[in-house]
Amino acid sequence: MNSNLANQLLASIMNWDAKTLASERAALEFMGSMKYDAYDRYMPGMRFMSSLVQWLNDIEEGDRDEAYKFIKDKLVFISSTQMNYLVDLLYDSIIRPILLNMATVETGMPSYKCSNRVVRRRFEIEKRSALIVGLSDGAHTDILRRSAGFNNEQVLTNYYPDGKKLEDMLEELRKDTRLQDIKNAYFRRIFLIDDFTASGKSFIRYDKSDKQYHGKLKKIIDELCSKGSEGGQEIKHLGYLLDPNQDKIHIDILFCIATEKARTNIKNNLDDYLKSVNRHDKVEFNIHIVQLLEDKLSNDIKNDNDLLEVLKKEKHFVEECVISKSYKVGKNDNPWLGFDECALPVVLAHNTPNNSLPIIWQDAERFHGLFPRISRH
């Protein structure tokens, strides 16, 4: 759709006069060129302006001003450039200070002597002995590995590697000249990386129906604490990379972007799980977030009664497009607020999370999402 046609249709749909169109068009074209046109899930030839025209046309006429106001005033779009920058910050603002602190503790030096030669040498050992594990295909471990200078054999793109891969990683660690004075070296610190979480449910949750804990973090902790054999046959788990004689497993869970709600849910559920399996003394974890999304972001949506009326209308909510088995894992009394009722106005450049308002991302024959989402399930 060319820009002139899009402008004409937008003016017709919104009942704008020439002056209003000229004013709004400038703002929309700026938003599109700066960020929104680069949304990865647009079909070839699709741009933000044409998607906006189609989206507004699917909204009831009396609600279009409210919907348009929401997009202009409340939408949060994280571009690929911004996400890559946040990935870079994972190392500089979180991982590196942790490793430096470990180095000063191991050498008995005060923290202000982190540039001391002995500390720097120990820091290189701690850095090489760090295990980096990606928790999803959006973890951007490739970017982190290059920006931080990690070795290829200390980064895992998934948390279920085969035994041969684990053997190779440990062998390469022990061959490294920086660890030549350490007998039978093991990985010492585990960093679990992901780009985004809004509810924390996919990482750790308690299911009342089967009275069991589920999620990625539960699986990883089970792997790390595994004895290494099943049915009399030796099977190498993640725990193979760790010193079996160490008193405690240290895990750092890192997110580029996360909500306050997710941080609280993960901490509470993970604490409860560790206690339920008597591992609270064996596993120590910390949660780190580069860009925190405050509760105010979703509360502003939930407290906007005019917007809520638009979101819940049958015309604007396609139930069969939104609600699935995985969607029901979270709270869904008000499913038009997104997964687990997170009510986020957030769009990521590579995909829109289902925690965001469905009116943004649902894509069906009778309603076309402004930023259509592709499901990963």
Side-chain angles (χ1 to χ4, degrees), residues 217-345:
L217 294 177
K218 186 263 183 188
K219 294 176 182 177
I220 289 173
I221 287 173
D222 289 348
E223 281 274 304
L224 292 170
C225 297
S226 172
K227 299 287 185 182
S229 64
E230 293 181 12
Q233 183 179 6
E234 184 182 7
I235 296 178
K236 292 182 174 63
H237 299 275
L238 278 176
Y240 173 78
L241 300 175
L242 307 178
D243 186 348
N245 297 316
Q246 66 182 348
D247 295 330
K248 189 168 288 189
I249 298 173
H250 297 276
I251 300 174
D252 291 280
I253 306 164
L254 283 67
F255 296 105
C256 295
I257 305 171
T259 64
E260 290 185 80
K261 175 181 181 177
R263 179 173 62 184
T264 300
N265 284 348
I266 292 172
K267 183 182 185 307
N268 293 342
N269 280 287
L270 194 48
D271 273 331
D272 291 343
Y273 172 65
L274 291 173
K275 290 174 184 176
S276 72
V277 292
N278 295 318
R279 289 175 179 162
H280 56 287
D281 291 330
K282 177 68 174 176
V283 177
E284 178 181 287
F285 73 92
N286 292 287
I287 301 169
H288 311 270
I289 301 167
V290 178
Q291 178 64 66
L292 179 68
L293 300 180
E294 297 179 352
D295 288 338
K296 182 179 184 301
L297 195 64
S298 57
N299 288 340
D300 284 349
I301 301 293
K302 293 177 180 179
N303 294 329
D304 189 335
N305 292 326
D306 292 334
L307 179 58
L308 290 178
E309 289 302 315
V310 176
L311 299 177
K312 66 175 67 174
K313 283 190 176 181
E314 184 179 353
K315 180 176 174 60
H316 306 149
F317 179 71
V318 187
E319 183 174 331
E320 63 274 17
C321 179
V322 174
I323 298 180
S324 62
K325 181 180 178 180
S326 61
Y327 200 86
K328 291 181 180 179
V329 168
K331 185 180 179 183
N332 56 82
D333 295 332
N334 302 301
W336 50 82
L337 292 178
F339 177 77
D340 203 36
E341 299 185 5
C342 287
L344 290 178

Side-chain angles (χ1 to χ4, degrees), residues 171-183:
E171 182 181 350
E172 290 299 318
L173 177 70
R174 292 172 175 175
K175 284 181 180 178
D176 197 296
T177 55
R178 287 169 288 187
L179 282 73
Q180 61 186 358
D181 295 329
I182 300 176
K183 186 178 180 180

Side-chain angles (χ1 to χ4, degrees), residues 67-201:
Y68 180 72
K69 177 185 174 184
F70 161 70
I71 296 302
K72 278 195 67 178
D73 297 344
K74 295 184 177 180
L75 186 70
V76 176
F77 189 103
I78 308 296
S79 69
S80 295
T81 301
Q82 287 175 304
M83 183 61 78
N84 291 346
Y85 180 62
L86 292 173
V87 175
D88 286 340
L89 286 176
L90 283 175
Y91 178 71
D92 289 328
S93 64
I94 299 174
I95 299 176
R96 186 172 181 273
I98 290 172
L99 297 177
L100 270 174
N101 181 65
M102 291 176 65
T104 56
V105 169
E106 285 296 319
T107 56
M109 294 284 188
S111 58
Y112 64 85
K113 287 194 174 183
C114 59
S115 62
N116 180 279
R117 184 179 61 182
V118 176
V119 174
R120 291 203 308 270
R121 188 182 303 123
R122 184 67 202 187
F123 170 77
E124 290 301 319
I125 293 174
E126 300 296 351
K127 182 178 178 180
R128 181 61 183 87
S129 303
L131 176 63
I132 313 299
V133 183
L135 296 177
S136 75
D137 56 0
H140 303 288
T141 51
D142 55 333
I143 298 173
L144 177 62
R145 178 178 56 79
R146 290 192 293 268
S147 65
F150 286 125
N151 187 290
N152 228 7
E153 296 301 324
Q154 68 182 117
V155 179
L156 288 171
T157 56
N158 67 81
Y159 48 91
Y160 272 132
D162 60 44
K164 184 63 170 66
K165 175 63 176 175
L166 296 176
E167 288 179 1
D168 291 344
M169 291 177 70
L170 197 56
E171 182 181 350
E172 290 299 318
L173 177 70
R174 292 172 175 175
K175 284 181 180 178
D176 197 296
T177 55
R178 287 169 288 187
L179 282 73
Q180 61 186 358
D181 295 329
I182 300 176
K183 186 178 180 180
N184 293 328
Y186 288 95
F187 287 93
R188 288 168 47 80
R189 191 98 179 197
I190 302 144
F191 294 94
L192 306 179
I193 312 293
D194 214 340
D195 62 341
F196 176 83
T197 182
S199 68
K201 295 277 187 177

